[in-house]
Amino acid sequence: MTVRVERTDEFDVEPAQLWAFIADPANRARAISVVESFSIDSADGRRCTWEVTLPIPFFDRTATVETYDRVREPPTNVEFVGQSSALDVTGRHEIADRDGGSQLRSEFVVEGRLPGVERYFTRKLDDELENLRRAAERAFERESTEGSA
């Protein structure tokens, strides 16, 4: 079974600023609640390893998810894929200019390889995209505050 969630969010920042946030795999990893830790594994920043803890029955270990940016088209598109023994994930982010701000269209697809993975993400995947939106807003607020000091 595959779980798919799409979401569109508006931001009061230029597309280049949104691109700088969303294209950074560390920002994406930090925003996902089940990612316990991560490491950037390549000099170009396109490979990232997530250590994921899933709150599902009979899974009492951390899953290592090897991710890499499959598509990177500044400043409008980034797509990453991740693979592990527990799940596969694909994330797509498209940025568009919107009246002095920007729009982020995100799609996450999770394919579970263990019982309970799909059920968990069916309930929580939209929450994870909300976490990403909030992380972006906090980053933009920090930049705004630092820029005005």
Side-chain angles (χ1 to χ4, degrees):
M1 180 177 158
T2 300
V3 180
R4 179 183 314 267
V5 172
E6 294 182 34
R7 179 179 177 133
T8 301
D9 292 300
E10 304 283 332
F11 296 91
D12 292 329
V13 298
E14 295 296 319
Q17 192 175 356
L18 180 55
W19 167 260
F21 176 84
I22 205 69
D24 184 340
N27 289 335
R28 296 190 308 254
R30 278 187 205 101
I32 305 301
S33 68
V34 294
V35 175
E36 296 294 325
S37 63
F38 66 91
S39 61
I40 304 299
D41 302 326
S42 63
D44 64 1
R46 293 180 76 136
R47 294 191 174 276
C48 185
T49 301
W50 299 349
E51 297 300 330
V52 175
T53 302
L54 296 173
I56 60 175
F58 310 112
F59 188 74
D60 60 354
R61 61 183 171 90
T62 301
T64 300
V65 181
E66 303 288 338
T67 73
Y68 67 94
D69 289 356
R70 180 167 48 192
V71 175
R72 207 171 168 96
E73 299 170 343
T76 58
N77 294 308
V78 64
E79 176 181 325
F80 71 92
V81 295
Q83 299 173 321
S84 78
S85 60
L87 62 99
D88 290 339
V89 61
T90 302
R92 292 182 187 89
H93 304 284
E94 297 176 7
I95 299 169
D97 191 355
R98 292 288 183 261
D99 299 323
S102 53
Q103 180 183 69
L104 177 64
R105 183 182 162 278
S106 298
E107 176 186 54
F108 269 61
V109 179
V110 176
E111 295 182 41
R113 296 183 177 192
L114 297 174
V117 171
E118 289 97 354
R119 187 173 326 131
Y120 173 78
F121 281 107
T122 296
R123 291 188 331 264
K124 297 292 187 175
L125 199 50
D126 190 62
D127 293 344
E128 299 298 352
L129 287 173
E130 176 63 13
N131 292 344
L132 185 63
R133 185 198 64 76
R134 287 182 189 151
E137 289 288 353
R138 285 190 302 271
F140 302 147
E141 286 172 13
R142 276 192 309 274
E143 289 172 13
S144 169
T145 302
E146 291 169 1
S148 65

